Amino acid sequence: MSNFKQSICLRSVSLTVGALGFLCMAMPTQAANVPFNFSGSVAEVHGGVFTSGGSGVNGFGSALPVTGSFTFNSGTADVLPGDPMWGLYANPIQNMTVQVGNYTASFSPGSSVMQVIKNPGLGDTFKVTLNGFSGSTVNGLTPTTFEMELVNPNGNVFTNDHLPTTPPSLSSFASNQWRLVFSGVGNRVQGALTSLVPLPAAVWLFGAGLIALVGLGSRGLASRKDS
């Protein structure tokens, strides 16, 4: 093999090893965006969005299923860094979709707050609040706000007030609730969660690794053709 070809081969190996090392270092940063899935059901409907037997788009009745997902940046800074019992995080939510029956509302990056309250002996709370939902009108009313709140009065769930990278276990909380609020006063649909689980981040990381390796392979083929 000529010195020129040996140089190309060594350079390709170095690029491959270097790129793999870069992937290993970069992936945890990418993983700062944490996706959660949730499900539940409707327990109460208030105000103008109520329709007896409604399935969602025509108004809400009770016992409808609820599903949704949201992604948040776990690297968001705490607004109250000096308070070890109250983590307050402004605008960490990247996106959210909520489906109630056959009705769907969605949120794009905007006004959102996540709170993690760690108060031993008094209570632990995990709360998510989002303003700026969009979706079709229901009985002439538009979606505006979504809230999710988990409460444990014993204060023995969290070890700190940091944003969780895995969903809090619903069984650890004495109560949990969600609600989707519509325009006007007192117009909302609400209920309890039955699951809060993570999306498999490993799937995204594996896909990103494959894309990078395919790209490296393509460059290697081009180098051999040029030689």
Side-chain angles (χ1 to χ4, degrees), residues 17-227:
V17 172
L20 288 173
F22 173 77
L23 281 173
C24 292
M25 291 185 292
M27 282 179 182
T29 302
Q30 295 286 351
N33 284 340
V34 179
F36 286 179
N37 276 353
F38 61 89
S39 61
S41 60
V42 173
E44 302 175 31
V45 185
H46 299 270
V49 292
F50 174 75
T51 299
S52 180
S55 59
V57 292
N58 61 336
F60 302 102
S62 60
L64 290 175
V66 175
T67 58
S69 62
F70 64 99
T71 301
F72 67 93
N73 183 356
S74 62
T76 304
D78 187 352
V79 176
L80 303 171
D83 189 332
M85 295 188 295
W86 184 12
L88 181 63
Y89 304 89
N91 300 320
I93 307 291
Q94 307 298 300
N95 56 69
M96 177 183 277
T97 300
V98 178
Q99 184 168 358
V100 184
N102 59 14
Y103 178 80
T104 301
S106 59
F107 171 85
S108 296
S111 177
S112 65
V113 175
M114 294 181 75
Q115 299 181 64
V116 180
I117 299 174
K118 170 60 180 174
N119 200 341
L122 295 178
D124 286 1
T125 300
F126 176 69
K127 187 172 183 179
V128 179
T129 305
L130 304 94
N131 294 304
F133 263 78
S134 62
S136 302
T137 59
V138 176
N139 297 341
L141 302 169
T142 57
T144 61
T145 303
F146 180 85
E147 293 183 343
M148 175 190 299
E149 185 174 38
L150 316 179
V151 178
N152 179 304
N154 299 320
N156 57 6
V157 177
F158 299 120
T159 57
N160 53 55
D161 65 353
H162 301 167
L163 283 174
T165 55
T166 58
S169 172
L170 293 182
S171 62
S172 299
F173 293 88
S175 67
N176 76 74
Q177 61 179 348
W178 63 269
R179 67 175 184 168
L180 180 61
V181 180
F182 287 77
S183 56
V185 178
N187 303 308
R188 66 185 187 276
V189 54
Q190 62 188 51
L193 298 174
T194 54
S195 72
L196 182 62
V197 297
L199 286 174
V203 172
W204 183 90
L205 293 175
F206 180 71
L210 282 180
I211 291 171
L213 290 175
V214 168
L216 287 170
S218 299
R219 286 197 292 272
L221 286 173
S223 296
R224 285 196 294 272
K225 286 180 181 178
D226 290 341
S227 64

